[in-house]
Amino acid sequence: MMFKLPIQILAIAAAFLVGVNAVADNDVDACNGSNHYDVGHSCAFAESQGTCQLNACGNLICIPN
């Protein structure tokens, strides 16, 4: 019982850190997927940071700054 609380705190901290450091793998996932961003929203993916814009095909993607 003595170690139950510290282990739970460590698990919660690890889950929080993983969520905070999550960056999309590509320009499409940076604006879509679980993010559900709109045009003009700031975004980031593995290679760059930018804003969500519609490309020529009408797909919402992260355009690097």
Side-chain angles (χ1 to χ4, degrees):
M1 287 300 249
M2 184 186 313
F3 296 106
K4 187 174 183 179
L5 184 60
I7 290 172
Q8 290 174 338
I9 291 171
L10 181 60
I12 292 169
F16 176 75
L17 290 175
V18 168
V20 169
N21 291 327
V23 175
D25 291 330
N26 57 60
D27 57 346
V28 176
D29 289 343
C31 295
N32 298 287
S34 63
N35 293 333
H36 303 293
Y37 293 156
D38 289 325
V39 171
H41 194 282
S42 61
C43 55
F45 60 104
E47 298 173 14
S48 187
Q49 296 180 356
T51 56
C52 295
Q53 301 294 329
L54 295 174
N55 66 6
C57 297
N59 298 318
L60 188 64
I61 64 170
C62 187
I63 303 293
N65 291 335

